[in-house]
Amino acid sequence: MTQEIRLFGAIAVRPAVLALISPFETATGFTVAVKWELNPTVKKHIEAGEPFDLVIINPNLVQDLTALGKVKAGSQVAFGRIAMGVAAKAGSRPLNIGSVEAFEHALRRARSIAYAGEGTSGGYFTGLLERLGIADEVKPKLVAVSGGQTALAVGRGEAELGVVPVTSILAAAPEVMLVGRFPAELQSYVDFAIGISADSRDAEAAKQLSEFLMSTAVDDILASKGVERR
């Protein structure tokens, strides 16, 4: 059996999954080599032939890769979901976003708002602005950030607020703080699933990692990092 498992995952789950790698390696003796990209980029790389053993991305993208023969049929399992949240620089004044009205007011008052220029969360947010009817007012203040750097951009002072999955905000502490999650009426969870490569160097080892990531023993760690189980 090979001693290295190649894990290719979405940037949004990185903070949570990284917290589990060391315990898994200690328990099994395997080494996990990790690589992180935005969801669509992970899919493109795998489609282009990049080797991997385990992938964690949006469920529909895992399904697409299964249809292409890149992911082993029947290996897909639901990993968890991540809520959308609002970030601000640590020490900023308290901000109420607990209702739809308060959320809209905060966006209107903000001088600048960072969001993911690519990926699932950014697409949802720009669509939400249209739904709320405030796109024309807010869009001139948007700062598109690439490569999973949205929360960090807020910490660097490049935007007053950031709209990004909660995992990225929690991981950017202490420079960044979580203002709060989107109001329930506006919340959109970004779902993630695990799939095993159809061409894994060691399918059994990949399965062990998948089962470890899905075990109830790690639920509390995932929750502390912003990943919610269904």
Side-chain angles (χ1 to χ4, degrees), residues 37-41 44 115-123 144-148 150:
E37 297 283 359
L38 295 172
N39 279 287
T41 305
K44 288 177 183 177
Y115 77 106
E118 305 167 321
T120 308
S121 67
V145 182
S146 62
T150 308

Side-chain angles (χ1 to χ4, degrees), residues 86 96-108 124-125 128-129 131-134 138 181-187:
V86 175
N96 174 25
I97 60 168
S99 67
V100 174
E101 294 76 14
F103 181 80
E104 290 184 16
H105 182 67
L107 295 182
R108 286 189 166 112
Y124 173 74
F125 178 59
L128 177 61
L129 296 178
R131 279 172 41 205
L132 293 174
I134 59 175
V138 174
R181 290 165 170 78
F182 280 24
E185 303 94 321
L186 305 179
Q187 184 58 262

Side-chain angles (χ1 to χ4, degrees), residues 183-198:
E185 303 94 321
L186 305 179
Q187 184 58 262
S188 174
Y189 292 95
V190 184
D191 288 293
F192 292 90
I194 298 172
I196 297 174
S197 172

Side-chain angles (χ1 to χ4, degrees), residues 13-24 36 212-213 218 221-222 224-225:
V13 299
R14 174 174 58 188
V17 175
L18 283 179
L20 304 178
I21 296 300
S22 182
F24 174 78
W36 312 100
F212 179 82
L213 295 174
V218 304
I221 296 175
L222 291 177
S224 72
K225 301 293 182 181

